[in-house]
Amino acid sequence: MLVPVGGDVTALKKRITRIAPSITEVAVCPSLELLREVTRFNDYDAVLLDWHPSEADTDAVAQAVKACPMVPVIVVSHQAESQASEQMLRLGAQDYLVKRETTGKQLVRAIHHAIERKRLDIRLKTTLGELGQANARLRSLALKDTLTGALNRRAFFVIANQVLARARRHGRTLALLYCDLDGFKQINDGFGHAVGDAVLRGFRERCARTLRRGDILARLGGDEFVILLDGARGETALETAKRIRAAFEQPLTVDPHTVRLRPSIGIARFPECDSLEAMIAAADEAMYRAKRGPGIASHCAAPETSTRS
């Protein structure tokens, strides 16, 4: 089943049925617009594009290929093969035939070969698309913490250092929030690691809902999370920390348990701290002070080395 397009379609149809009687159904499609509709609703094996260089340039080939992406396009012309034929193949046509040199057997064989090449082309594109999606998933996994979906430690340092460099260039301020989940060890020990993992995921989800677009949330490890706020001025960091703690006034439900969870949050700022490492150390130190009572603490002096029990 063929769809001749353009040119003297009646003469082409007669020629096809005369030289290739095994082709039993030929539909005439006098325009590319109609071709798009015809091939959408009918199961044709191939499209023959009757191409006349004096009437149309190679754009007609590109339009025909686009109009029927699942059907092979074969260009037939009076013009001998030339650089134009190579260009047509690059545009997506499966073959180029010269009318006066093509016998019925050659036409039938060219159609069969074009159908097979089109199938291989579609299969290759599908495979490449699947590989591209798989690679995208792998890249995403390389950046994400597999348990919570937040950025992982490695990705955070790469991205945060880029944000810090931009802040230096443009005189912007940054704030870093260091979050630690109060009583998380008791939850893990009392209810088991499956519940502990669900609590970590729940923290990430509730925390993310309080943040602005562009704020960077990452899990450094265990129950420790950091949030980098770009362009944080005045009380922005403190307000964000308060929103995060307020988000946990209601307990988390991890069937069949109800878990009460509150984060302690330490805050450090750039340019007061002149590097990412200094900001993390300062916010970590402030977080330990927050644990001793207020729940939120800001670092103002030079950071001290944190000590952990």
Side-chain angles (χ1 to χ4, degrees):
M1 293 175 286
L2 306 175
V3 184
V5 179
D8 187 351
V9 293
T10 303
L12 181 57
K13 179 177 179 179
K14 289 181 178 179
R15 175 172 169 77
I16 291 170
T17 54
R18 177 173 56 82
I19 68 173
S22 61
I23 300 174
T24 57
E25 184 176 341
V26 178
V28 175
C29 188
S31 70
L32 290 169
E33 290 75 14
L34 186 57
L35 171 66
R36 184 177 292 105
E37 298 303 315
V38 167
T39 55
R40 181 189 303 177
F41 298 108
N42 296 275
D43 186 21
Y44 289 105
D45 294 327
V47 168
L48 296 184
L49 178 63
D50 190 14
W51 185 65
H52 291 257
S54 59
E55 298 175 2
D57 58 16
T58 54
D59 185 55
V61 180
Q63 290 182 44
V65 171
K66 184 178 180 180
C68 46
M70 305 302 290
V71 183
V73 174
I74 302 170
V75 179
V76 293
S77 177
H78 287 294
Q79 181 171 314
E81 290 192 56
S82 62
Q83 291 182 348
S85 65
E86 296 178 5
Q87 184 179 358
M88 292 174 188
L89 296 178
R90 288 196 296 270
L91 290 172
Q94 268 61 55
D95 208 342
Y96 181 91
L97 303 176
V98 180
K99 290 181 181 180
R100 63 178 177 274
E101 298 174 1
T102 303
T103 65
K105 289 184 179 179
Q106 290 172 334
L107 176 60
V108 172
R109 184 169 62 248
I111 292 169
H112 288 312
H113 288 173
I115 292 170
E116 185 59 28
R117 281 195 293 272
K118 189 65 177 182
R119 286 174 181 166
L120 292 174
D121 181 57
I122 293 171
R123 191 181 306 164
L124 176 61
K125 288 180 178 177
T126 301
T127 301
L128 290 175
E130 292 171 349
L131 287 173
Q133 292 173 4
N135 286 334
R137 287 193 295 269
L138 288 173
R139 287 194 297 271
S140 177
L141 289 173
L143 298 175
K144 297 290 183 66
D145 171 53
T146 54
L147 176 61
T148 66
L151 287 178
N152 60 30
R153 184 186 187 94
R154 178 171 176 269
F156 173 74
F157 272 86
V158 172
I159 295 171
N161 273 309
Q162 293 173 348
V163 173
L164 182 61
R166 186 171 67 243
R168 282 199 179 98
R169 285 196 304 271
H170 300 291
R172 295 172 63 84
T173 58
L174 303 176
L176 186 135
L177 278 56
Y178 201 114
C179 306
D180 183 90
L181 310 188
D182 298 341
F184 180 73
K185 185 177 186 303
Q186 288 75 18
I187 294 171
N188 243 351
D189 294 344
F191 299 137
H193 290 287
V195 173
D197 290 348
V199 166
L200 292 175
R201 288 191 291 269
F203 173 80
R204 199 279 305 174
E205 291 167 3
R206 283 198 187 181
C207 185
R209 289 198 291 267
T210 71
L211 300 179
R212 306 169 304 172
R213 184 175 182 177
D215 294 341
I216 300 169
L217 170 65
R219 181 186 178 210
L220 294 188
D223 61 329
E224 296 178 340
F225 292 78
V226 290
I227 301 162
L228 187 65
L229 308 178
D230 190 5
R233 296 182 179 276
E235 298 298 308
T236 300
L238 180 58
E239 291 168 358
T240 301
K242 288 179 179 178
R243 287 200 307 272
I244 292 171
R245 282 183 56 86
F248 293 92
E249 289 178 354
Q250 297 298 319
L252 288 169
T253 300
V254 182
D255 288 338
H257 307 288
T258 299
V259 179
R260 293 195 173 276
L261 184 73
R262 294 300 291 273
S264 293
I265 304 173
I267 302 171
R269 295 176 175 83
F270 171 85
E272 287 82 358
C273 300
D274 62 359
S275 69
L276 181 60
E277 291 76 11
M279 290 179 72
I280 290 174
D284 187 20
E285 187 272 335
M287 181 271 294
Y288 274 94
R289 285 194 286 108
K291 274 186 176 295
R292 294 195 288 269
I296 301 172
S298 293
H299 183 89
C300 298
E304 300 174 359
T305 302
S306 297
T307 57
R308 298 176 182 266
S309 56

